[in-house]
Amino acid sequence: MATIRYQKNPATAEAPWVRRTLLGVGLSFFVLFLLLPLVAVFSEALRKGWDVYIAALIEPDALSAVKLTLIAALIAVPLNLVFGVSAAWAVAKHDFRGKQLLITFIDLPFSVSPVVAGLSYILLFGAQGWFGTWLQAHDLKIIFAVPGIVLATVFITFPFVARELIPLMQAQGRDEEEAATVLGASGWQTFWAVTLPNVKWGLLYGVILCNARAMGEFGAVSVVSGRIRGQTNTLPLHVEILYNEYQFAAAFAVASLLALLALVTLVLKQFVEWRAGQARKEIQ
Amino acid sequence: MGFTLFYLSLIVLIPLSAVFFKSFSNGTEAFWVAATSPRVMASYKLSFGTSLLAALINLVFGLILAWSLVRYEFPGRKIVDALIDLPFALPTAVAGIALTALYAGNGWLGQYLEPLGIKVAFTPLGILVALIFIGLPFVVRTVQPVLEDMQTELEEAAASLGAHRWQTFRLVLLPMLMPALLTGFALAFARAVGEYGSVIFIAGNLPMVSEITPLMIISKLEQYDYVGATAIAAVMLMFSFVLLLAINGLQAWSARRNGEK
């Protein structure tokens, strides 16, 4: 194990009491702030027994929330996947002015508050927004309807794939692409046969994170949703409504569904990291 | 390339520029009044203060956790390593109600803290707890790879020259970790300031006491006060810009540092 190497070498090892203290402090912090909240979700969800738990999940409003969450993710993830690949391709394999600025703009949704993101869509498409009158005249509804939720989700998950791919593609350089071009491959052929296979694990990694965020987004979606039960309620919003109505067991039951999703995400992520590591070893 | 710019403008740039245009549509006077009312000022103080404190706490404990994961062998290390990312994967609303359940007066932790006179849920302390949860992986995940790539030769050289372990850490390791630490700190801070979902459940949301800035935007929106909401949003947006530029600068610095070796 790599970790043992450090402790066998007197120059990089700490005194046992220092090691134990650091481990103790770090792990206590981990248990207190990360593990306990996770355990609490499942324990609260099952507090009133399995019947209440199942009932909360198969109730029509919950099912329609599941459906809307899936729809939003199914639209947002592929859109941002295509964008992420093309943005990373543009940034890593080409030179142009303002590249750094472009990267900064791609990162923007990470540092903008989700609430501000939701608000900006209201300003554009809301009843008093820039396109509000036009939308009303054509009987189109974006805010307080499904399209608004999808848009907010797209905004929030915008950088995930691009962020994962840009450093990966930059590290790989352009040698292989240039070789392919010299051998007579077209731009598309080079992309499908050379660039894409090289980044497939990073791509998958980005998609997994993107999907988790898309299904779990709360702040941005809550601003544009209007929270119409059975219509514009996603799973996280459904959790909030149940919680504010003091239906704690039901709220935690739905929350446990999202927590399970988070755990699946972490397992998948771990698997992809492991496979990516394997792939790197094969090359070396 | 064209598609990238088009999509970026459509989804991100145009909506965000709408915030700026709208916030100044009633003149700078109205903007200023809305962005600096006492209740809003109190929310800035709370949001920035708790976020800064949470990021500092994460800086210290994140470093300890990253160090333990890279340097020490202990049972369950792989599981701890995987679960560090939980705050990225767990929806914020779920985190919010879980933390509230833990720290409320009758919760697992709250029942022991309350007799000691420490109220966490529904106070600014609760906001701090939620922001620590949200920000922790940022620090661990920026510091961990740098620690893993670090060569042991420098530490060996320091030890052979007679440095104590603490001196080696402070004078050799810490300067090398600094860019990564600051980046993680800034990322955690930026995320904490904008955070909404996990905080509103545990905060109690009392005006002037435990009302965070994103919540102010929501409550203005609910009163159809669009000018007020966008003014606050514009302030937060400017802050995001500045912090993002700082983070990019830090990452460039970090890359240069690691390239030198």
Side-chain angles (χ1 to χ4, degrees):
Chain A
M1 282 305 295
T3 43
I4 292 179
R5 178 171 63 102
Y6 292 111
Q7 294 315 313
K8 281 200 172 151
N9 183 343
T12 54
E14 286 82 34
W17 69 268
V18 176
R19 191 172 68 225
R20 272 185 225 118
T21 315
L22 284 178
L23 259 180
V25 170
L27 290 182
S28 316
F29 189 79
F30 167 81
V31 169
L32 202 61
F33 281 95
L34 292 184
L35 200 58
L36 266 183
L38 184 66
V39 177
V41 172
F42 291 103
S43 121
E44 291 285 329
L46 292 172
R47 196 179 222 164
K48 294 205 175 137
W50 280 98
D51 293 343
V52 178
Y53 181 82
I54 300 292
L57 294 185
I58 58 170
E59 174 233 355
D61 286 344
L63 287 179
S64 93
V66 171
K67 209 174 110 199
L68 183 58
T69 300
L70 289 178
I71 290 173
L74 273 177
I75 298 175
V77 174
L79 269 182
N80 285 332
L81 171 67
V82 172
F83 164 76
V85 172
S86 74
W89 163 267
V91 167
K93 310 285 182 188
H94 301 87
D95 290 310
F96 52 89
R97 278 172 57 191
K99 195 180 193 170
Q100 204 51 47
L101 192 69
L102 181 68
I103 298 179
T104 307
F105 279 142
I106 290 173
D107 275 347
L108 207 50
F110 271 161
S111 67
V112 168
S113 170
V115 173
V116 174
L119 171 73
S120 71
Y121 282 109
I122 289 191
L123 293 178
L124 283 184
F125 304 118
Q128 285 149 40
W130 287 358
F131 305 114
T133 8
W134 187 87
L135 286 171
Q136 262 172 349
H138 291 77
D139 207 20
L140 294 169
K141 228 169 140 39
I142 291 185
I143 300 304
F144 305 138
V146 176
I149 292 174
V150 173
L151 272 176
T153 309
V154 170
F155 179 98
I156 290 298
T157 56
F158 186 81
F160 279 93
V161 176
R163 201 69 199 122
E164 220 42 67
L165 288 186
I166 289 174
L168 200 59
M169 283 193 181
Q170 274 175 336
Q172 280 167 351
R174 300 174 196 173
D175 299 352
E176 292 183 34
E177 275 82 4
E178 278 159 7
T181 313
V182 168
L183 291 171
S186 70
W188 269 114
Q189 281 175 324
T190 310
F191 175 75
W192 282 109
V194 179
T195 311
L196 208 55
N198 273 340
V199 296
K200 64 176 181 226
W201 294 115
L203 191 70
L204 201 56
Y205 190 89
V207 167
I208 291 168
L209 293 181
C210 181
N211 180 59
R213 187 71 202 265
M215 292 191 171
E217 178 49 27
F218 178 76
V221 169
S222 94
V223 174
V224 297
S225 133
R227 295 187 183 79
I228 307 162
R229 274 197 170 195
Q231 284 181 38
T232 63
N233 238 1
T234 62
L235 276 177
L237 296 178
H238 192 57
V239 170
E240 186 204 15
I241 290 185
L242 290 172
Y243 190 84
N244 287 343
E245 286 172 351
Y246 300 102
Q247 301 187 42
F248 293 130
F252 277 102
V254 178
S256 74
L257 210 58
L258 288 165
L260 270 181
L261 177 78
L263 288 179
V264 170
T265 303
L266 292 182
V267 170
L268 281 176
K269 198 177 137 290
Q270 212 64 11
F271 173 72
V272 168
E273 267 168 14
W274 175 73
R275 278 308 304 259
Q278 294 285 47
R280 254 199 312 276
K281 267 184 212 152
E282 275 165 28
I283 292 168
Q284 278 165 1
Chain B
M1 183 68 217
F3 169 73
T4 305
L5 279 179
F6 170 72
Y7 187 73
L8 178 73
S9 317
L10 200 68
I11 299 292
V12 179
L13 298 182
I14 294 176
L16 291 183
S17 57
V19 172
F20 278 111
F21 282 116
K22 179 80 183 178
S23 65
F24 286 106
S25 62
N26 285 20
T28 41
E29 186 80 16
F31 171 81
W32 201 245
V33 170
T36 59
S37 77
R39 206 168 139 190
V40 176
M41 289 305 276
S43 84
Y44 293 145
K45 228 171 98 185
L46 178 72
S47 269
F48 288 97
T50 47
S51 300
L52 202 61
L53 200 56
L56 278 173
I57 291 171
N58 277 331
L59 187 66
V60 175
F61 288 95
L63 174 61
I64 293 176
L65 263 174
W67 181 270
S68 305
L69 285 171
V70 174
R71 296 280 172 126
Y72 303 145
E73 188 57 41
F74 55 91
R77 191 174 65 94
K78 282 249 161 68
I79 295 171
V80 173
D81 192 16
L83 279 179
I84 292 284
D85 281 329
L86 183 70
F88 284 160
L90 193 70
T92 51
V94 177
I97 62 171
L99 289 170
T100 313
L102 282 178
Y103 287 97
N106 56 0
W108 289 352
L109 297 170
Q111 59 179 324
Y112 300 109
L113 293 172
E114 208 118 298
L116 301 172
I118 307 171
K119 271 180 88 88
V120 178
F122 317 121
T123 67
L125 204 55
I127 301 177
L128 186 67
V129 169
L131 295 181
I132 292 173
F133 175 86
I134 287 300
L136 180 66
F138 288 101
V139 177
V140 178
R141 289 302 184 229
T142 45
V143 174
Q144 201 177 7
V146 180
L147 266 178
E148 274 167 358
D149 286 345
M150 217 174 244
Q151 304 296 324
T152 50
E153 280 88 344
L154 286 169
E155 287 168 68
E156 283 161 5
S160 70
L161 291 170
H164 298 303
R165 196 70 190 120
W166 172 243
Q167 284 175 319
T168 310
F169 177 76
R170 197 165 49 92
L171 298 172
V172 178
L173 296 178
L174 204 56
M176 291 206 291
L177 289 173
M178 214 26 127
L181 278 171
L182 284 177
T183 307
F185 171 81
L187 286 169
F189 182 51
R191 176 69 202 267
V193 170
E195 179 56 21
Y196 174 71
S198 59
V199 175
I200 48 156
F201 293 101
I202 202 168
N205 307 326
L206 291 171
M208 307 296 290
V209 179
S210 56
E211 227 175 17
I212 55 166
T213 310
L215 180 71
M216 288 302 308
I217 298 178
I218 300 254
S219 67
K220 296 253 177 204
L221 266 183
E222 276 166 1
Q223 298 155 13
Y224 300 102
D225 178 4
Y226 286 92
V227 177
T230 43
I232 304 168
V235 171
M236 289 195 77
L237 207 50
M238 278 185 260
F239 168 77
S240 306
F241 269 122
V242 172
L243 211 56
L244 195 58
L245 288 177
I247 291 169
N248 272 356
L250 279 170
Q251 273 167 345
W253 180 37
S254 176
R256 271 203 306 280
R257 266 274 159 110
N258 291 330
E260 273 170 13
K261 281 191 299 179

